[in-house]
Amino acid sequence: MILEPPLIFHYIARKAYRYLEQCSERSLLLLCSLLLIGLGWLHYSFPVDISFFLFYLVPVAIVTWFIRGEWGILFGVISAVFWLASDLRIELGKHLSAHLWNMSVRSIQFAIIVYLLTAFKRAYNLEKTLARFDTLTQTVNRYHFFELLQAQLTLNQKNCISFTIAYIDLDDFKQINDKFGHQVGDNILRKFAHTIQQNIRSQDILGRLGGDEFVLLLPNLNPQEAPTFLKRIQGCLTQITTPDHHSITVSIGAATFECFPTSCDEVLEYVDQLMYNVKMSGKNNIIYEIVKH
């Protein structure tokens, strides 16, 4: 299949962005320094006086976006100095004060672009965070959890490693909201999420699917460890109390998958059904299974 020119440009730009994103700061600085030096030499050697602003902007923008704004300002000043050298070559000894003025203006122009690019990056990172994380509990949201779970499924299929997943539901949460108000309910959800995050491993992932339903992805947690681990989580959660000093309770459906499901929906439907079975049998309990086929 032959790509149209706009699609080719988009493909190349995406590949370049991913490459730069994976580079270390030292590699990026070396790459952009060589690019800047090459541009300076080309500008100085060019037989006619043309604007190199857009060319200099490339290394300036790269170091600003992928490293820090301070590097962007430095690269902008260096670009202006290279530009000054080219101007002096063409009009040696003439209007030096004007050339110095032009260099200062160009440095300011680069600095303004660096400032705007830095502000845009902050807004971009904030938007990316809001798109991936639940603002109330600071856990990953449903969409991002599905992304992470799919990556885990792909990894496990490739390496034949089991994983555990738990569906956790806060019992009678609607009654808490009705009795004490949504602000109290939100505070309990925050404590709920914080308590779980304080008692899991660094590689574990807690997501909020909606309301009072949370899901916990536990990579490399084997069937021997999983029941004890989940029981400890449940015990920690029961230490959270409502304003009338009643402990909350949770229903947990969990499974260790030693087979390798192909879809996230299949995994979540399985543990969701286990959690529902807990609800139907009296709540405040854990049902745990090992899925081998």
Side-chain angles (χ1 to χ4, degrees), residues 101-261:
W101 169 258
N102 288 340
M103 184 193 74
S104 300
V105 170
R106 288 163 185 156
S107 297
I108 293 171
Q109 288 175 328
F110 282 120
I112 292 172
I113 291 174
V114 167
Y115 172 79
L116 294 175
L117 194 58
T118 301
F120 179 76
K121 183 183 178 182
R122 283 198 297 266
Y124 170 79
N125 288 335
L126 177 60
E127 184 66 25
K128 188 166 68 172
T129 298
L130 293 176
R132 293 183 174 183
F133 291 86
D134 176 60
T135 54
L136 177 65
T137 62
Q138 305 305 309
T139 60
V140 301
N141 62 20
R142 184 185 189 90
Y143 171 77
H144 190 39
F145 185 85
F146 268 75
E147 286 185 326
L148 297 172
L149 179 56
Q150 186 58 58
Q152 186 68 43
L153 291 180
T154 302
L155 177 66
N156 284 30
Q157 288 168 355
K158 186 179 298 184
N159 299 320
C160 298
I161 303 172
S162 65
F163 69 97
T164 301
I165 190 162
Y167 206 111
I168 309 174
D169 185 89
L170 202 159
D171 294 330
D172 302 317
F173 182 67
K174 185 178 183 303
Q175 295 179 18
I176 295 174
N177 273 335
D178 292 343
K179 186 175 182 179
F180 302 106
H182 288 280
Q183 184 173 356
V184 171
D186 287 348
N187 288 335
I188 287 177
L189 287 178
R190 290 191 193 96
K191 292 178 183 178
F192 187 91
H194 180 73
T195 299
I196 295 176
Q197 288 172 323
Q198 291 295 307
N199 289 278
I200 57 179
R201 305 165 302 171
S202 59
Q203 67 265 39
D204 299 333
I205 299 167
L206 176 64
R208 184 188 181 198
L209 300 185
D212 59 336
E213 296 181 350
F214 292 79
V215 63
L216 188 56
L217 176 60
L218 305 161
N220 304 321
L221 189 67
N222 61 49
Q224 290 73 39
E225 301 170 320
T228 303
F229 187 91
L230 294 169
K231 195 69 178 177
R232 180 169 60 82
I233 295 293
Q234 183 191 32
C236 292
L237 291 173
T238 57
Q239 296 178 20
I240 302 171
T241 59
T242 60
D244 57 358
H245 306 294
H246 285 88
S247 296
I248 69 165
T249 62
V250 294
S251 298
I252 302 176
T256 296
F257 287 84
E258 295 185 340
C259 65
F260 308 106

